[in-house]
Each structure stands twice: as C-alpha cells, then as structure tokens.
Amino acid sequence: MHPLSILSFLLPALSFAQDGSVTGPTSSPQAAGYSCDPSLCKLPKCNCASTSPPGGLSPSEVPQFIVYTADDAVQSYTLDSVNQFLAHRKNPNGCQPKITYYVSLNYTNYTLVTDWYVAGNEIADHTMTHVGPPPDDEVDGNLIALNALAGIPLSSIIGFRAPYLNYTAETLTHLAAAFFTYDSSSTSAIPVTDPSTDAYWPYTLDNGMANDCLSVPGICKGQPKLPGFWEVPMYAFFDSRGVEGIHLMDPWLDAANGANTVNDSATLEYMQNTFTAHYTGNRQPIGLYTHPIHTATTYPGVQVSNSTIEMINAFLDWAQLQQNVWIVSTEQLLAWVQNPVPLSQLNSFEPLKCSTPQVDQAICDGIPANEQGLLDRCDFPDFPFFTCYGCPQVEPTPNNPNPAQDTSNGRRFRLPANCSTPFWDPIAGKCICNSSSCQFQDESRPIGPNGANLTGGGTGSEFSSGAASPTASYIPFNGNGELLTLPDSIWPAVTLAFVGLVWGLYIL
C-alpha cells in the first residue's frame, strides 16, 4: 500500500476527537446509594469509596499524584508525543516518570509496546479494535495478542480502560472474572471543593460502584459486587464555571470558560486551579489522560499548536515546583493506595523506584541497543509492524488473536510464564536469567529536601500563570535554585524515542 494511502486510512482511526469527553456530573450521592463499613473493608484487598486518603493518613502525609495515561495505538510518533512532556523530568527520587499506556491494537507497532514496557511503563488493555461497550472477545483478544506479539506477561496486564469510556456493568463483571486488577473508565465529575464530590480515592467494588451512577445503567446502589476488583476514577479539571465547566481527556482541546475558541492561557489557569484544590484538600490524585496523537508533532497531517505543547509543559513545570508531587502510572498509584505509606517512608517504597534490567547480549528483548537487526517485519497490507516474537500468518482479530506463526524466516519462541521479558531470547528460545544473572540496577536516589523534584525547567517558560503556588518556596536537590543538566541515565529514553521514530518512518 502506498504510504499516503496508509496515512489517509490511519489518521481517522487514531484521531478520536474528544474521545472520552464529559459534559456534566455523572453521579450524585442519591444516585450512588453507596454504603461501606471501613471496619470490615480493609486494605490491601478492600477499600471503601472515600474522599479521605487511604490508611487513615492525613493529607499532609500524602503525596500529590499526577496520573499520566495514554490511549490507543502505539507508534513512534505517539511515544515521541509522550516523551516531549516527560523524558526530561524526574520524580522526587530521581526516577523518570512512568505512565500507563492503554493499548488498542489497530496500527500498533508491537515492538514499541515491548520497548515501552521494558523501560518500566505499564501496558494495559483498551480492546483490540477500539470498540465500546467492549465485547468480551475484544478484551480477551487484546490480552492474548499483547502477550504473544509484544511479549507482555499476562500477569503484568492488570488494567483496563473502555474506548470512549463506554462500559457497562457486564464489562466490569467480565474484567473481574478475567482476573484484571482494576478498571479506569469511570469519571470523577464533581469538583473536590463541592460537598457532593465524587472524587474518591481508588476503591474496590465489594460494595458496588460509586461513580457514573447517572450515566451507566445497572451500577451503583451496591452493584456490581466484585470483591477485590478496583475502580480507579478519572479525575477531571474544572474551569471557572465549576461543575458546568468540566474537562476530562485532552483538556487542551477544549475551549475554557464557555468560550468558542481554545485559549491555552485560560486552560493553564483552570488546570492549575484544579490541581491546587486537590493539593490543598485531601490530595486526591489529578490526571492527565491523553490521546498522544493530538500532540504528535512527528505525525504527518496532524496540526499541533506549539503554544499548546508549551502550555502542557508549563503546567507540569509548575506542578513539579510544589513539594511531594509525583507523576505516576495507574499501576503505581494503585500500589500506593493498597499500601499507603507516609511521605517519610517513600524512599523505600519499591513501586516508585526505577530498576533497569542489565542485559548487554544481542537478543530481541525490548532494549533497543540489543535488538538491532533482530526484529521481524510483518508486511500486512493495512499496516505493517515489527515484533520480536515472530510474525503471524494473518493479522490478529478478536476471533483469532494469536494466529499461527509464519516460520518461513525461522521460528520465534513466545515469552514463557517463567521468564521476564528483558531476559528472554525469542530466537534461541532461551531465558538468559537465573538466580545469579537476573541483574537490575536501582537508579532511584534519596528524596531531596521538602520532597523536591528534578524538573524539566524552561520547557513552558512562555507561559506565566497568575496562580499562586500552593506550597512554600521550592528547595531543589542542588540547593542553589539552579536547574540541573540531564544525567546520563536519561539518554536511553531519548535514544528509544529516536530509534522509534526511525522505525516508524521506515514502516511508512
């Protein structure tokens, strides 16, 4: 197929304009009819829907989490889009922020999914072909294909988000039966400053849903009862209109305050104001829920405003100047909620650390420097892709998510359950890891004064918000207010983005 034909076919499939938009409240205390006894529902396996921090911690002991997620296909230009906001950043422990990528498989380059996972990010289920409400085979097929062709362990795919946020009670029931840990499709659509807010910390469905009670039939008032299955609400931003001015996914695509056109300065202002309301209240998480295609500067045909990119970076720059702010994946957030340790213990909290696999052998394992020349190119007419794990004879579908392998260029071996992705050699069919050779390097560092961050300064300097800082003056790691240069450990991520771009251009 001609490259331009691919582009014209691909763009509408990936640019789901305003996918996941919300226009008003989706729940109320009356509609929820929610009841939960915290003396019976206890962590880590049960948690009541509550606006108060888990574990009985006071807000002053709780980190402010910014949950960063991306939806839809994984390609070089979507990873470039994410990296322009995060590759230069550090959390308070010196680790580069991780995100959750809710992957749908149409037009996905499987080898980049492998690379993204091995780099420490969460890979989650978003159905195979981006349909909602999702049929069971779309959910299950995605699991199977991500495992077979991207080498993601089934045990690591624990989360789900419904396309268009269009889910049902039956969706949740199926996810629990399929041993997912959580869903993140519901909306927190009432500001935290409202007494009736539905900005609950993540909770289990032992006592049913407490969100989306006005928008999804058959849930709430105790239903569905799914013990141990978690709901992670998506926390919205609000402009000056309050509950009538709600912005959820890709808020920078929306006009603020009832205007007819997008104003990046107005967007930045309401994002900062919403963050401050969370930060100075019970510190419920705030979310950046993105479709990376909308800010993909390397994708032909997508018009991206440089002002918008600078605004998003300005928001993250500003947020990271506050004390004890962490940019995390959904998986990391949930790990903390299940075991909520105070700020004083975050240095030893494993889920927030960054451990890098130490593998220097030339194997196809999700580490770009190792897999050069070893990838299998699968030349399907709709969209070719690369994989470490052998091309299928036909394209995966919900009815056949793991087709027989094309062995004309030799057989590749799929990831077994007893080997970690970066240590599996799919060409030799060998796990190079044993008790003495599984080496991970912990690259985290002691948290700086006042939980200070290494931030990516200057990336949004065009914007100067009028929002007051909700915290005391910032004390950086080096103590003198100067921004640090990028350490050597950040360059593998930059290299990954560059290699991904070259592969993407080669495919097209």
Side-chain angles (χ1 to χ4, degrees):
M1 182 179 288
H2 191 276
L4 291 180
S5 299
I6 295 176
L7 290 176
S8 63
F9 187 73
L10 177 57
L11 182 57
L14 291 183
S15 297
F16 296 104
Q18 303 296 64
D19 178 1
S21 61
V22 178
T23 58
T26 59
S27 191
S28 70
Q30 295 75 23
Y34 184 81
S35 178
C36 180
D37 184 348
S39 68
L40 300 176
C41 181
K42 295 183 178 181
L43 294 170
K45 294 184 178 181
C46 186
N47 195 41
C48 294
S50 174
T51 59
S52 297
L57 295 176
S58 68
S60 63
E61 298 178 289
V62 171
Q64 178 63 60
F65 291 113
I66 300 175
V67 184
Y68 199 112
T69 72
D71 285 16
D72 300 341
V74 177
Q75 266 294 346
S76 60
Y77 38 81
T78 61
L79 298 187
D80 290 343
S81 178
V82 174
N83 277 330
Q84 69 186 332
F85 303 121
L86 296 184
H88 54 287
R89 300 189 183 278
K90 297 286 188 178
N91 274 323
N93 62 354
C95 293
Q96 183 178 341
K98 307 304 181 186
I99 77 161
T100 298
Y101 212 120
Y102 294 94
V103 180
S104 56
L105 300 185
N106 279 357
Y107 312 109
T108 278
N109 191 350
Y110 287 89
T111 190
L112 294 181
V113 180
T114 312
D115 295 352
W116 201 241
Y117 170 76
V118 170
N121 298 284
E122 180 187 8
I123 301 299
D125 196 323
H126 198 48
T127 75
M128 292 190 75
T129 65
H130 201 276
V131 293
D136 292 351
D137 61 352
E138 284 273 354
V139 177
D140 300 342
N142 203 353
L143 276 176
I144 294 168
L146 286 171
N147 174 253
L149 295 175
I152 311 300
L154 290 174
S155 60
S156 294
I157 307 173
I158 65 171
F160 177 81
R161 175 169 293 159
Y164 314 106
L165 309 185
N166 186 354
Y167 69 97
T168 65
E170 289 74 24
T171 304
L172 300 174
T173 300
H174 177 72
L175 293 172
F179 301 106
F180 282 84
T181 300
Y182 74 86
D183 168 72
S184 186
S185 306
S186 69
T187 304
S188 165
I190 303 174
V192 294
T193 53
D194 189 309
S196 298
T197 185
D198 56 354
Y200 303 118
W201 283 85
Y203 58 96
T204 59
L205 300 194
D206 293 63
N207 298 280
M209 285 283 289
N211 293 85
D212 286 352
C213 303
L214 296 172
S215 59
V216 179
I219 66 171
C220 302
K221 296 186 177 179
Q223 297 300 321
K225 290 188 185 297
L226 303 170
F229 181 74
W230 290 80
E231 184 62 30
V232 182
M234 300 172 67
Y235 305 92
F237 290 95
F238 300 90
D239 63 28
S240 62
R241 296 169 295 164
V243 73
E244 300 301 323
I246 184 173
H247 307 274
L248 188 62
M249 300 198 75
D250 310 298
W252 35 86
L253 301 181
D254 300 343
N257 307 320
N260 294 321
T261 57
V262 172
N263 182 317
D264 289 322
S265 294
T267 301
L268 177 61
E269 181 179 10
Y270 78 66
M271 289 176 67
Q272 290 176 324
N273 289 340
T274 303
F275 174 96
T276 299
H278 283 237
Y279 189 96
T280 58
N282 283 328
R283 294 203 174 174
Q284 294 99 320
I286 197 74
L288 290 184
Y289 311 114
T290 74
H291 296 92
I293 189 68
H294 292 306
T295 51
T297 60
T298 56
Y299 184 75
V302 175
Q303 299 298 318
V304 181
S305 166
N306 286 331
S307 172
T308 298
I309 291 173
E310 290 169 353
M311 183 277 295
I312 298 168
N313 268 315
F315 170 74
L316 289 170
D317 288 348
W318 173 85
Q320 285 200 292
L321 291 177
Q322 319 313 321
Q323 297 171 16
N324 304 311
V325 172
W326 295 72
I327 303 171
V328 297
S329 66
T330 314
E331 181 180 34
Q332 288 177 307
L333 167 65
L334 188 55
W336 183 87
V337 171
Q338 291 171 322
N339 181 25
V341 299
L343 293 169
S344 60
Q345 297 179 25
L346 286 183
N347 262 328
S348 58
F349 189 65
E350 288 295 330
L352 295 181
K353 291 187 176 183
C354 43
S355 296
T356 303
Q358 301 300 296
V359 182
D360 56 9
Q361 298 185 31
I363 61 175
C364 208
D365 65 346
I367 300 176
N370 296 346
E371 59 191 12
Q372 295 182 26
L374 300 176
L375 296 169
D376 218 357
R377 178 184 170 95
C378 309
D379 286 314
F380 293 109
D382 287 342
F383 193 80
F385 58 82
F386 288 98
T387 177
C388 283
Y389 301 94
C391 294
Q393 294 178 4
V394 296
E395 295 181 74
T397 65
N399 291 329
N400 186 17
N402 186 15
Q405 186 178 154
D406 180 355
T407 58
S408 57
N409 293 321
R411 184 185 176 192
R412 301 272 181 128
F413 295 87
R414 303 286 166 78
L415 179 76
N418 61 349
C419 190
S420 180
T421 305
F423 299 104
W424 176 247
D425 182 348
I427 297 176
K430 177 183 177 182
C431 189
I432 66 170
C433 163
N434 55 49
S435 58
S436 61
S437 65
C438 297
Q439 298 296 322
F440 288 85
Q441 180 176 335
D442 182 7
E443 297 181 349
S444 59
R445 59 186 292 178
I447 296 172
N450 292 343
N453 295 38
L454 291 173
T455 68
T459 52
S461 57
E462 176 180 313
F463 286 85
S464 59
S465 76
S469 174
T471 62
S473 60
Y474 167 64
I475 303 176
F477 272 119
N478 59 355
N480 59 14
E482 297 177 0
L483 292 171
L484 302 181
T485 57
L486 291 177
D488 291 340
S489 61
I490 200 70
W491 289 110
V494 178
T495 303
L496 170 60
F498 176 76
V499 172
L501 172 60
V502 172
W503 282 337
L505 292 175
Y506 178 66
I507 290 174
L508 294 176

